Amino acid sequence: MLRLWFFPHPLSPAVLAAMTCLTPLAVAMAQGVAVDTPSTSTTPAQAGGNGLTQPSSAPETMTVTARLDRARLQLQPSTGATVHAFSRKALETIPGGDNAGLNSVLLQAPGVAQDSYGQIHVRGDHNEVQFRLDGVQLPEGMNVFGQTLMTRFADNLSLTTGALPVEYGFLQAGVVDITTKNGATNKGGNISVYGGARDYFFPSAQYGGQYGKWDYFLTADYVHDRVGIENTTPSFNAPHDLSNQYHFLGHLRYTVDENTRISLIAGVSNAQYQLPNIGGQPLFGDNYSSLLPHAPQSGDLNERQKEITDFGILSLQKDIGAFSLQTSVFSRYSSLGYSPDPNGGDLAYMGISQHAERSVMSTGAQSDVTWRVRPDHTIRFGFQVFAERNITKADATVFDARDQMVNIHTGNGRTGDIYGLYAQDEWRPLRNVTLNYGLRFDGVGEYTDEHQLSPRINVVWRAWKGATLHAGYSRYFTPPPFEVVGGTDLRQFATTSGAAPSGGSGTVRAERDHYFDAGIEQVLMPGWRVSFDAYYKLAHNLIDEGQFGAPIILSGFNYRRGQVNGYEFATSYDHGPLSLYGNMAWSRAIGKDITSAQFNFASGDLAYISQHWVHLDHDQRWTASAGGAYTFFYRTGHPTRLSATMVYGSGLRQDTDVPNGGVVPQYATFNMALVQSFRDLFHSPFFRTTQLRLDVTNLFDHPYMLRSGTGIGVGAPQYGLRRTILTGISQDF
């Protein structure tokens, strides 16, 4: 049993061939990843041919699917970057399996820190993580709590970090590339029911198939629980924390011929959340008890938030001799709505009660082309362009200077665009050296109008047997999030209880970085790998985000200067039914002088930060994760798999006598899973594998804090999930 393909670099074809748990198609597809990923021992030119080996009895459609899948991977190599790969078996082995959120999966990678609202921070950045489906980048959305993309939709996925090649733009702390399931390799259906503690109820279904040149895959689920948002107290159950979520994802493909394929991916997510309360909070003003005599206690507030996301991607993939291309058009609509306490609770405790709505509509195109000029030269070029429309509306109730209740309506809309062009050459000057260099031109015309020409270069050296060294430099340009708050709202709230802490309203600008990365990977013996990686980022106009006010809506701001640096160590071992992995990372992220959206901050904090370096609120010095799995009876029709994972964090930042001067307490959580599978349990050609599972989150019920409620741009306190026991049954057919 393979626990986790969780290495800084993909596996070599020789190691993959030895893993008998993989199907021939999975091996072939994984070989495609390996030859395309720079950190492996071979490049596409070094691999000695582009064909995939298939059993003579394999269906022709399977061969075509595998070849086109590999051709798509070759469009976007990661030469010189660090790739952490999660196979389908790895996703199933993590406690929760397909029921686990993507953030839970990504926390198993080095340098990924856990935060509230399901957020993750990769290598000391805030939310600069881009998501791709089959190589197509999705525009940013408004999601804060929800997981629009479901783990069960992924056939495999990878997290790429480091000095990225030029095809990756806009969000560059990490690239999460999801290879979606399809009907050719996932025929049949599955029905699952999962649930347990805290009213957790999670039914799901999926179905895939093939009809001639068409193949399709569909999955849908419904989530009902009382842990939608992190608890604001260390108690076992969170007050007022009900959530209901609906998700649907579908994939339809048509293979025109062996060199041409058209695909459509569509998704819908609808989520509604109650916001947990904090009891015993003081009123906003001394006289508010007389102004609002019927206001509820702070522990009885009824605040709610709703998030909706819809997206679609239409792609054409084509091979023409020495050229391979994929061109796509896509659209994403994302909205967020906040409803305050209907009995005036927000006004009593925060001085403002507002119905707030934001939405972003993004439409765009992406094209990537590979030109195999010579065996030692591969040229790649392409572009990305997004056209976006942002709408913000709010109806607020506040008290004016005479303690009279007044209503204020605010709203604005803005249309803008983001674009990027790139070209690069992957060159093999020596048999064991690969050089990838290129230029990228990016621009943004939204709240700010800026552009930049960015050079990038990476080198990979197979220095000795089993060793791969890599180093790179990348110039980055990161546009600001489009959902920033316009400063025109400030004047309307002046002299009211909803007035901003200060009056500055500088425009949020694009971040510009110099990024350096170097590392080494060594195969010590078959199945055992170790790696070390170091990075340093020097930023101008470093972008951070924070929650300001009751609606849990993140808004962006800039530090004039920023520095992020760190180190990562990872190791993994896989042999037969046993697999183990572990990693540890050290990071430091600091900034100086807030130069935009200053109205969100107290004047004293602004004055201090203008003269002193401060830790970013999401700066976590030490991050670690580890896991293991063993499959009993793995050669039989009734294997039993036992797995466990651990996540450690030294703590995010909190305020002391200086902003972000302290650290919340460190923590370590342990999760476990027991999965029993039965193949052909009902002795029926209709029913296939039956699976029973038991998952325990936070096995030792250790209360731990993610956020203390203080810090730059930090909202309410947030505590991690207490021990939760969940069970499930799924049936393949």
Side-chain angles (χ1 to χ4, degrees), residues 485-509:
V485 179
T488 55
D489 297 343
L490 300 179
R491 295 187 296 270
Q492 301 185 57
F493 289 95
T495 72
T496 73
S497 58
S502 61
S505 58
T507 300
V508 182
R509 300 182 63 82

Side-chain angles (χ1 to χ4, degrees), residues 602 604-609 612-615 653-663 710-712:
D605 287 347
L606 288 173
Y608 181 87
I609 299 169
H612 301 84
W613 289 93
V614 296
H615 295 275
R653 310 302 297 192
Q654 63 180 346
D655 285 345
T656 56
D657 55 338
V658 300
N660 292 344
V663 180
T710 67
I712 300 173

Side-chain angles (χ1 to χ4, degrees), residues 703-722:
Y704 64 101
M705 178 187 292
L706 294 172
R707 292 289 193 178
S708 68
T710 67
I712 300 173
V714 177
Q718 304 286 332
Y719 288 82
L721 186 65
R722 299 285 295 273

Side-chain angles (χ1 to χ4, degrees), residues 165-234:
V166 294
E167 69 264 25
Y168 299 110
F170 308 141
L171 300 172
Q172 292 135 145
V175 179
V176 179
D177 198 346
I178 300 173
T179 300
T180 60
K181 291 181 179 178
N182 59 75
T185 56
N186 293 271
K187 293 182 179 179
N190 174 274
I191 296 177
S192 172
V193 178
Y194 187 65
R198 298 179 177 83
D199 293 345
Y200 197 92
F201 179 57
F202 190 176
S204 63
Q206 66 180 47
Y207 191 78
Q210 194 170 22
Y211 182 78
K213 295 185 176 182
W214 294 89
D215 72 68
Y216 53 89
F217 182 84
L218 309 170
T219 182
D221 64 43
Y222 165 70
V223 182
H224 170 90
D225 60 29
R226 295 190 179 275
V227 291
I229 307 173
E230 286 84 0
N231 198 341
T232 53
T233 72

Side-chain angles (χ1 to χ4, degrees), residues 72-73 76 130-136 156-160 168 175-179:
R72 187 188 68 241
L73 290 169
Q76 298 170 344
Q130 63 172 272
F131 289 84
R132 294 187 170 218
L133 291 178
D134 291 343
V136 182
N156 60 79
L157 65 88
S158 64
L159 171 64
T160 304
Y168 299 110
V175 179
V176 179
D177 198 346
I178 300 173
T179 300

Side-chain angles (χ1 to χ4, degrees), residues 31-338:
Q31 286 176 323
V33 176
V35 296
D36 282 340
T37 304
S39 35
T40 191
S41 58
T42 56
T43 65
Q46 295 164 337
N50 295 324
L52 292 176
T53 302
Q54 293 287 338
S56 58
S57 59
E60 181 180 353
T61 54
M62 296 281 281
T63 304
V64 172
T65 295
R67 192 178 63 79
L68 289 173
D69 285 344
R70 197 184 80 160
R72 187 188 68 241
L73 290 169
Q74 289 179 343
L75 290 168
Q76 298 170 344
S78 304
T79 304
T82 302
V83 180
H84 312 277
F86 297 84
S87 70
R88 169 98 299 260
K89 288 186 177 295
L91 299 177
E92 293 171 351
T93 302
I94 290 174
D98 278 344
N99 305 298
L102 277 180
N103 59 327
S104 298
V105 175
L106 296 173
L107 284 175
Q108 310 306 315
V112 180
Q114 181 182 11
D115 200 351
S116 54
Y117 312 136
Q119 299 176 88
I120 59 171
H121 305 293
V122 178
R123 289 193 168 189
D125 277 302
H126 191 270
N127 267 341
E128 294 182 17
V129 178
Q130 63 172 272
F131 289 84
R132 294 187 170 218
L133 291 178
D134 291 343
V136 182
Q137 180 176 347
L138 287 175
E140 282 192 276
M142 298 293 302
N143 296 83
V144 177
F145 317 126
Q147 293 280 346
T148 301
L149 303 175
M150 298 174 291
T151 303
R152 69 180 69 256
F153 193 56
D155 186 72
N156 60 79
L157 65 88
S158 64
L159 171 64
T160 304
T161 60
L164 303 178
V166 294
E167 69 264 25
Y168 299 110
F170 308 141
L171 300 172
Q172 292 135 145
V175 179
V176 179
D177 198 346
I178 300 173
T179 300
T180 60
K181 291 181 179 178
N182 59 75
T185 56
N186 293 271
K187 293 182 179 179
N190 174 274
I191 296 177
S192 172
V193 178
Y194 187 65
R198 298 179 177 83
D199 293 345
Y200 197 92
F201 179 57
F202 190 176
S204 63
Q206 66 180 47
Y207 191 78
Q210 194 170 22
Y211 182 78
K213 295 185 176 182
W214 294 89
D215 72 68
Y216 53 89
F217 182 84
L218 309 170
T219 182
D221 64 43
Y222 165 70
V223 182
H224 170 90
D225 60 29
R226 295 190 179 275
V227 291
I229 307 173
E230 286 84 0
N231 198 341
T232 53
T233 72
S235 61
F236 194 79
N237 290 306
H240 195 259
D241 200 12
L242 181 70
S243 72
N244 290 286
Q245 305 171 47
Y246 309 84
H247 306 98
F248 166 81
L249 285 166
H251 191 181
L252 179 66
R253 302 196 308 190
Y254 179 71
T255 304
V256 180
D257 54 45
E258 62 180 7
N259 297 314
T260 310
R261 182 167 64 187
I262 301 172
S263 65
L264 173 66
I265 301 174
V268 175
S269 174
N270 188 313
Q272 302 179 47
Y273 302 90
Q274 293 179 340
L275 272 60
N277 299 323
I278 310 173
Q281 297 299 298
L283 294 175
F284 183 78
D286 294 336
N287 62 337
Y288 272 41
S289 58
S290 59
L291 295 174
L292 297 166
H294 302 295
Q297 298 295 313
S298 63
D300 298 324
L301 297 180
N302 184 17
E303 300 165 323
R304 298 170 181 268
Q305 193 153 304
K306 182 177 182 179
E307 300 180 9
I308 297 175
T309 297
D310 305 316
F311 69 88
I313 302 171
L314 180 64
S315 300
L316 168 66
Q317 185 184 346
K318 182 71 174 178
D319 276 6
I320 309 173
F323 290 87
S324 296
L325 69 88
Q326 178 170 279
T327 184
S328 307
V329 292
F330 48 79
S331 183
R332 174 172 180 165
Y333 171 79
S334 181
S335 69
L336 183 153
Y338 170 80

